[in-house]
Amino acid sequence: MGLKMPKPRKRGETYYYNVDVPTAFREIARGSSCSVEVAGLRTTVKIGGKFQVSLRTKDAAEAKRRFAAVAVQAAQHYDSLRNGPARLTHKQSLAIAGAIRAIWMEVLDEDPGTVEMWKSIASYDARALAGQTNPLVVPTDQTIANDLETRFGPLIDAFALREGLRIDAVSRKALLKHVAKAMSDVAAVNSAKAAGDYGDSGGTDRYPEYSRPSVAPHRASTVGTITFEDVIDRKVKTRAAGKGGKPLSTSAINKFRLAVREFDKHRDDTDILTVTRVAGEAWKDAMLVEGRLSNNTIGQRIVNVGTVWGWAQRQGHIPADTLRNPLHDVEQPEYELRAADEKTFTMDEARTILRASLKETRADLRWLPWLCAYTGARVNELTPLKPDNVFEYEGDWFLRITTKGGRSLKNSYGERRVPIHPDLLKQGFVGWAHGHKSKDQRMFTRGGAGNVSTWLKEIVGIDREGLAPNHAWRHLFEDLCLHCGIPEGAKLYLTGRSGGGSAAMYGKSEAGLPALAKFLNEFPSYLK
């Protein structure tokens, strides 16, 4: 797929918000209008295949900030289209009428016009309320409705456009009457001002405070707040429960916690019951504008938050009849798949790294690159190793990579036993491992993976774009397994990938260990 990262675009010297309408909203959004505020000024955007509006700046940094704000407004517009017209409560209807009243009061405060003008306006408003704008027509419910719509409908339309509201027919009928009364009050107050009386009429206090109406989230309980962290904690507990339970790995737990914490920080809320698609879209756009994460990673963060939301629903925190997971409606950012060789060390890079590690005295830098190179293991599977994980069987030495003692593996195998390559034996790895005073002492620091990554980039100088230094060993190891004829099932077992099928033949018992050692003895030496 082509790389499409939403960002401010220049037209001449000015930056613009110019973004394709999400596929899911393309049909319902086409031809609609959205009122957008940019730098305190409002403009109406007519939407076609794109959502386009000037960001009113030539400064790149300011354009990024304004881009994110417009993205939120665009997402709210799409959300209102998807949800359909809103049914207003009585209080919401009065609040909107009060907000329209307040706009007119503010605009006319400095120059209210003349008493005669307001008498004429008040008379026209009164005839509209009575359905008598045409003096030859006998007032009926229909003439009243028509007159109210003609007189006050444009005020509601302008306000709804500005606020991104879609109001259903029943609510609009009641709102027209409330606005008519509010505008009658505008006429009375401004007539008094025109006559020199700026005294407080007290009219403003009659109206509820306005806030943009939205569909209230359905709560399973009104007691307390359910957070993403609560849901993850319960999932961790239930997954580990029972005989033979399959606990969530530490890496998975950390992955989910990182995603939900960043999401909550962005939306400034921790309550899972207030999550909306709009919040998800705004978070995605903010991450894209920031440019710190790849589009692929951004997509994964959104998926991870959506997964936890799904857990919350299954745990009973979100009603089962809430059919749509709001994060599933967030359109995933597109990204360009990198060629496999871009994510893999070259043989020259591998040799450079291993030669550099021979000169190091710190355990992380001395041994972790070699272990990664000759096992294909994830570096976070190796950093928890202890001396008692290094054992001998029928003359061959092995590493026991295990979930016991808090260590975590990514797949379902609770433990795998990986042969130690002859090159590591020659370098004295076994003697070094068993030279630790305590068999239960960690051989590497908890931050070993980060230490190695920093060392590779800053000291060794391996810092190619798209290359994940510690993970690149796995790709190279798998290629070399293919080169030297190690069976697919054995390769899957050694690297800890969930392949099923033939992979299940390996590692069931100690009887299979000599065959694994034989396979790895055929694995080529990097420095020969």
Side-chain angles (χ1 to χ4, degrees):
M1 290 181 287
L3 183 63
K4 293 183 179 180
M5 180 181 292
K7 59 183 180 181
R9 296 186 181 278
K10 262 191 172 182
R11 186 182 300 171
E13 294 297 316
T14 303
Y15 284 96
Y16 278 73
Y17 180 94
N18 186 354
V19 178
D20 289 336
V21 176
T23 303
F25 302 101
R26 202 155 289 165
E27 289 302 318
I28 59 174
R30 186 178 297 276
S32 66
S33 296
C34 179
S35 176
V36 179
E37 182 177 333
V38 181
L41 299 175
R42 284 202 168 271
T43 187
T44 300
V45 178
K46 189 77 170 180
I47 299 174
K50 293 177 177 291
F51 193 113
Q52 302 180 68
V53 65
S54 171
L55 295 175
R56 305 176 187 274
T57 184
K58 299 177 182 180
D59 181 73
E62 180 61 26
K64 284 186 176 182
R65 289 189 286 271
R66 295 182 184 182
F67 183 96
V70 172
V72 172
Q73 296 175 76
Q76 288 174 337
H77 178 67
Y78 299 144
D79 206 39
S80 70
L81 293 174
R82 181 189 65 172
N83 291 335
R87 174 65 62 87
L88 300 176
T89 65
H90 179 262
K91 184 176 181 179
Q92 288 173 331
S93 184
L94 283 172
I96 291 174
I100 292 173
R101 174 191 182 277
I103 292 171
W104 281 88
M105 297 295 285
E106 181 179 359
V107 168
L108 297 167
D109 188 56
E110 291 292 330
D111 187 6
T114 66
V115 173
E116 290 73 19
M117 178 188 76
W118 285 110
K119 284 182 178 180
S120 175
I121 291 173
S123 175
Y124 198 97
D125 289 348
R127 291 200 302 272
L129 267 169
Q132 291 182 313
T133 55
N134 185 341
L136 300 179
V137 174
V138 177
T140 65
D141 288 344
Q142 188 58 52
T143 64
I144 292 173
N146 291 342
D147 286 353
L148 289 175
E149 182 63 53
T150 300
R151 181 66 170 163
F152 303 107
L155 299 181
I156 293 175
D157 291 339
F159 185 83
L161 179 62
R162 191 188 79 165
E163 295 297 308
L165 297 176
R166 298 179 70 211
I167 302 167
D168 70 7
V170 174
S171 298
R172 185 181 181 91
K173 185 176 180 180
L175 179 58
L176 281 165
K177 293 180 179 179
H178 292 148
V179 171
K181 293 178 180 178
M183 293 307 294
S184 295
D185 189 43
V186 169
V189 173
N190 279 287
S191 179
K193 287 183 178 179
D197 180 6
Y198 272 75
D200 185 3
S201 70
T204 302
D205 295 338
R206 294 202 304 268
Y207 295 94
E209 183 178 356
Y210 171 77
S211 62
R212 187 177 184 273
S214 61
V215 178
H218 185 110
R219 293 177 177 268
S221 170
T222 58
V223 179
T225 296
I226 302 300
T227 69
F228 280 109
E229 296 282 2
D230 295 332
V231 174
I232 294 173
D233 288 344
R234 181 174 175 184
K235 186 68 173 180
V236 170
K237 185 176 181 179
T238 56
R239 278 286 298 268
K243 186 177 181 179
K246 182 184 176 182
L248 274 176
S249 68
T250 300
S251 60
I253 295 169
N254 291 340
K255 173 183 70 177
F256 290 120
R257 291 198 192 280
L258 173 64
V260 301
R261 286 169 183 170
E262 290 190 351
F263 179 50
D264 283 348
K265 181 179 179 181
H266 179 268
R267 69 191 184 107
D268 194 25
D269 192 0
T270 60
D271 190 345
I272 201 169
L273 299 176
T274 62
V275 172
T276 64
R277 185 198 61 80
V278 170
E281 289 283 0
W283 182 43
K284 177 194 72 176
D285 290 341
M287 288 189 286
L288 290 171
V289 171
E290 183 183 15
R292 179 174 58 88
L293 304 174
S294 70
N295 282 22
N296 186 23
T297 300
I298 290 171
Q300 286 300 313
R301 294 279 170 90
I302 295 167
V303 169
N304 292 340
V305 175
T307 296
V308 181
W309 191 97
W311 293 348
Q313 187 176 49
R314 289 190 287 277
Q315 291 174 10
H317 302 306
I318 297 171
D321 61 358
T322 306
L323 300 180
R324 295 295 299 173
N325 185 323
L327 279 305
H328 288 177
D329 287 334
V330 176
E331 189 171 27
Q332 291 284 295
E334 296 188 31
Y335 61 92
E336 185 176 36
L337 293 174
R338 293 188 175 277
D341 60 350
E342 293 184 25
K343 300 185 291 184
T344 306
F345 286 135
T346 65
M347 288 302 295
D348 284 343
E349 287 172 334
R351 294 184 184 107
T352 297
I353 294 167
L354 296 179
R355 288 193 181 102
S357 72
L358 291 173
K359 302 175 184 178
E360 297 292 340
T361 57
R362 293 171 56 187
D364 295 346
L365 309 182
R366 172 62 184 87
W367 293 112
L368 285 176
W370 282 85
L371 290 170
C372 287
Y374 282 105
T375 66
R378 304 169 183 86
V379 69
N380 285 327
E381 295 175 336
L382 298 171
T383 52
L385 286 174
K386 299 176 181 179
D388 63 355
N389 296 128
V390 179
F391 70 97
E392 184 181 17
Y393 180 77
E394 294 191 356
D396 295 308
W397 286 92
F398 297 83
L399 290 175
R400 182 182 291 106
I401 301 176
T402 175
T403 57
K404 295 177 181 178
R407 287 154 245 179
S408 64
L409 303 181
K410 191 172 184 178
N411 59 38
S412 59
Y413 304 119
E415 175 181 292
R416 70 180 189 270
R417 290 162 287 187
V418 179
I420 299 175
H421 191 272
D423 282 6
L424 280 159
L425 297 177
K426 291 176 185 177
Q427 292 177 34
F429 173 74
V430 172
W432 172 80
H434 287 170
H436 288 74
K437 294 181 180 179
S438 170
K439 292 183 179 180
D440 200 41
Q441 176 186 353
R442 289 175 64 109
M443 297 189 293
F444 304 105
T445 63
R446 296 183 184 276
N451 294 339
V452 173
S453 180
T454 300
W455 172 77
L456 285 174
K457 293 176 181 179
E458 297 182 1
I459 304 301
V460 184
I462 306 296
D463 191 18
R464 273 194 289 121
E465 183 180 0
L467 187 70
N470 290 320
H471 210 67
W473 286 117
R474 286 173 63 73
H475 301 297
L476 184 56
F477 179 84
E478 289 169 331
D479 286 349
L480 290 174
C481 282
L482 178 65
H483 173 74
C484 65
I486 293 178
E488 179 69 11
K491 182 193 73 174
L492 290 173
Y493 174 79
L494 291 170
T495 56
R497 294 196 186 276
S498 300
S502 60
M505 296 168 54
Y506 297 92
K508 285 185 175 180
S509 68
E510 291 182 340
L513 296 183
L516 287 171
K518 182 179 179 181
F519 290 143
L520 203 62
N521 284 340
E522 300 298 321
F523 191 89
S525 295
Y526 285 92
L527 298 187
K528 284 187 178 180

